[in-house]
Amino acid sequence: MTTPSLEIVSLSVAFGHGRASVQAVDKASFRVARGEAFGIIGESGSGKSTILRAITGLHDGYDGDVLINGNPAPRPRNRDFFKTVQMVFQDPYSSLHPRRMIRATLMEPLEIYRLDRREARIAQVLLDVGLAPEFAYRYPHQLSGGQRQRVAVARALLLEPEILLLDEPTSALDVSVQAGVLNVLNALRRARGLSYVMVSHDLRVVAHMCSRIAVMTQGRIVEELTVEDLRAQRATQPYTRTLIAASRAAVTAD
Amino acid sequence: MTDPLLEVRNLRVAYPSAHGYSDALRGISFTLGREKLGIVGESGSGKSTAGRAIMRLLPPKARVTADALRLSGFDLLGASERQMRDIRGGRIAMILQDPRYALNPLKTVGAQIMESYRIHIKGSRAEARDRMLAMLEDVRIRDPQRVTGLYPHELSGGMGQRVMIAMMLIPSPKLVIADEPTSALDVTVRGQILDVLNERVEAQGAGLILISHDLPLVSDFCDRVLVMYGGQIMEELAAHDLSQASHPYTIALNASLPPLDHAVDELIVPEYDPTWLTEATE
Ligand SMILES: Nc1ncnc2c1ncn2[C@@H]1O[C@H](COP(=O)(O)OP(=O)(O)OP(=O)(O)O)[C@@H](O)[C@H]1O
Ligand SMILES: Nc1ncnc2c1ncn2[C@@H]1O[C@H](COP(=O)(O)OP(=O)(O)OP(=O)(O)O)[C@@H](O)[C@H]1O
Ligand SMILES: [Mg+2]
Ligand SMILES: [Mg+2]
């Protein structure tokens, strides 16, 4: 078997002490091949974001392994790592500097990594996420919720990373804008062989984007499904079954 | 005739921009009784701006005008900042779109919810604590005892939304403005949370404005729906008629939903027609 682009092996993350402690992620493992999109769904608070944050090195106290192209990710994470792996955070606010114009936020990674054609790249990513060029001259608080989320996606795309971690990247978007962003993500993955890990509470989005899907409850990955399983409602866990049934009901409601 | 709970007539908002002011709301009008009104529309169409204008929470530099903006006959536009402080979180509560950002980062979740209770309702600390824990259970927080001690950045996205809902509902407001209150929750929890919201609103005879980009959700939950585009109201419908919407924008929205039972190569992205905006202006 070829080396996966990203692999986590028995990853565990705990927070707090004593009575207030919680095992946010409990021995989670999965592999993502090059060019593949892997989905994570699960209850609110089940540890989905924590897995992604541990991969990017934000929760450095994890146990287990994070392997990038077969090699352990450096601790702490370094520049090379972030050239390969980028993340779109669930809260766009947390990743955008409040007092920095969007243009400066987008320019910074291009300068750090000494990329050429900076203006053209910025114009292109903004276009990709459906934002007019003048949005580059705004501050984060001058954007709507969905516009901020799209800036966060644009920023992660700028460095053309091999691996993209996407935490609810379209949760604040209406379906029309979401469709455009998802199309761009899919086109980039196919054209450049990018690998994605995508967390979403929306089964339709996950099914459209991902070929395999992990299901989490209370810190554990309780099952892994193919997208065909998911569409055909072949799930074993009660949580997954309920979620699929409820999502189908939501489709046929109108 | 009695005053409606909320009356909004010809509300306009413009934000300062690089070249003068740019319009975010171009004269929207609606009234609200003791009912559930949905506001849907494209990202950037002005939904949150409308909610924040009613709360008088827009940045000071924003230009706000209206022929009427009244809560049970009380003029919100003319109210002093002091009067507004009493109204906010008491008679009107707004569940903000970015909860983990909107909450106070330096205080625990429990302390913030208790504070929200005690500012508007007299009662002992012990009573406030009991109500706070019960409220967290109502919004389906697993392990409320642990969660009360957490700071906002220690919450998951969906927990943050539910904490914000708990905090806003606890003082029994007369008007609740919920801005994308469940966008981080999956359908199963979302249904439960909306039930809680519904119970509270009906028990208190309150009105609710539900801002969302989720059409099926709004058509299920609300009585009436306003569809916004580019700072204007494109159409107003009974919620259950949403799937039979006549405006091309609303129809386009229904078409770009990813299907669940079969794969498609590419999603349909609606083409926008600039005449939608001009035709609605008088
Ligand atoms: N910095 C932290 N300190 C303490 N607890 C934390 C911290 N970060 C996360 N947690 C806890 O870890 C658990 C998992 O959180 P996580 O954000 O991974 O959930 P999630 O699956 O992404 O949920 P959601 O779908 O609601 O975003 C939660 O109980 C949360 O309170
Ligand atoms: N403080 C501000 N200064 C300048 N422009 C702003 C400001 N706040 C919002 N805007 C602009 O006003 C328009 C309406 O924003 P609003 O936040 O009301 O949209 P929305 O309908 O809530 O969108 P979303 O669904 O993405 O949250 C957007 O184009 C936004 O960029
Ligand atoms: Mg999360
Ligand atoms: Mg908004």
Side-chain angles (χ1 to χ4, degrees), chain B residues 63-92:
Chain B
R63 208 159 58 195
V64 186
T65 61
D67 295 345
L69 189 63
R70 281 196 276 265
L71 178 73
S72 303
F74 176 80
D75 177 18
L76 290 169
L77 262 192
S80 70
E81 188 43 42
R82 250 193 79 149
Q83 289 173 309
M84 283 314 297
R85 267 202 298 273
D86 274 348
I87 289 175
R88 270 183 225 130
R91 282 163 70 195
I92 320 182

Side-chain angles (χ1 to χ4, degrees), chain A residues 43-44 91 201 204 239, chain B residues 43 100 142 162 183 186 257:
Chain A
E43 289 175 6
S44 172
D91 271 324
H201 65 273
R204 294 186 230 186
Y239 170 76
Chain B
S43 171
R100 281 186 291 184
R142 251 183 218 272
R162 288 175 287 159
S183 62
D186 71 47
L257 217 54

Side-chain angles (χ1 to χ4, degrees), chain A residues 95-168:
Chain A
S95 58
L96 300 177
H97 193 295
R99 278 187 288 281
R100 202 172 282 162
M101 228 180 230
I102 302 306
R103 198 184 119 80
T105 293
L106 295 176
M107 197 53 95
E108 186 189 74
L110 295 177
E111 282 167 355
I112 291 178
Y113 293 95
R114 303 214 168 91
L115 296 185
D116 59 353
R117 302 186 302 107
R118 291 172 191 168
E119 300 295 339
R121 285 176 199 263
I122 290 176
Q124 183 61 46
V125 285
L126 287 177
L127 184 71
D128 281 347
V129 297
L131 291 176
E134 55 263 30
F135 282 100
Y137 299 93
R138 301 257 189 108
Y139 291 92
H141 72 270
Q142 296 175 318
L143 300 175
S144 79
Q147 289 165 347
R148 245 183 329 259
Q149 190 169 46
R150 283 179 278 164
V151 169
V153 172
R155 183 175 125 118
L157 290 177
L158 259 186
L159 289 178
E160 305 179 359
E162 251 173 80
I163 300 169
L164 199 50
L165 309 174
L166 302 157
D167 196 354
E168 305 274 8

